[in-house]
Amino acid sequence: MGVDIKHNKDRKVVRIAPRSEDIYLRLLVKLYRFLARRTNSKFNRIILKRLFMSKINRPPLSIARIARKLKNAEDKTVVVVGTVTNDLRIFDVPKMSVSRCKLVVDMRARAHRST
């Protein structure tokens, strides 16, 4: 006798739109859906996929980690689909260009002081 396998939970769910009703998020999705369709850029497809993600799958990113990644590339723009948080362990915030969905209030003041 073999084991009967139920296949009723095999389906993978792939999001094609965000669950949120946030109008600004929806506008970003419209923009990146257009860019992903009209350009041959892998970057735009990745950003579009990350805009669909749930809040749990979009962990926050600290300013210290961004500064560490940008150590040799100060002229680059960092795109974060998620929250950028303040990190009190870093004293001098280097000048950087960050595009993000959300910014913690304390971080906003530090970012404006560093520019």
Side-chain angles (χ1 to χ4, degrees):
M1 282 280 192
V3 177
D4 188 19
I5 300 171
K6 294 169 84 175
H7 293 283
N8 63 348
K9 294 187 173 52
D10 287 353
R11 186 173 142 280
K12 291 279 186 187
V13 177
V14 179
R15 287 189 179 186
I16 56 171
R19 292 264 173 96
S20 173
E21 295 296 326
D22 184 13
I23 57 172
Y24 300 109
L25 179 64
R26 297 273 176 168
L27 282 173
L28 276 175
V29 167
K30 269 188 185 180
L31 173 68
Y32 277 101
R33 188 172 277 151
F34 174 78
L35 289 173
R37 188 179 69 239
R38 294 293 288 265
T39 63
N40 194 15
S41 173
K42 186 177 177 184
F43 173 79
N44 291 327
R45 287 195 308 261
I46 290 171
I47 296 297
L48 180 64
K49 181 181 72 172
R50 294 205 176 166
L51 285 171
F52 295 157
M53 286 184 178
S54 64
K55 196 172 186 178
I56 288 176
N57 292 323
R58 288 184 283 124
L61 192 65
S62 71
I63 193 69
R65 179 165 293 184
I66 294 173
R68 211 169 38 240
K69 298 284 185 189
L70 280 179
K71 190 160 281 201
N72 298 327
E74 288 83 17
D75 57 336
K76 301 269 184 177
T77 300
V78 178
V79 179
V80 178
V81 180
T83 305
V84 177
T85 60
N86 191 11
D87 196 349
L88 297 176
R89 298 171 294 182
I90 185 170
F91 295 114
D92 297 324
V93 177
K95 185 175 181 181
M96 63 182 74
S97 178
V98 178
S99 174
R100 76 282 178 245
C101 286
K102 187 177 175 184
L103 192 67
V104 176
V105 178
D106 300 339
M107 182 53 223
R108 184 170 292 144
R110 287 188 77 179
H112 286 300
R113 274 185 280 166
S114 70
T115 58

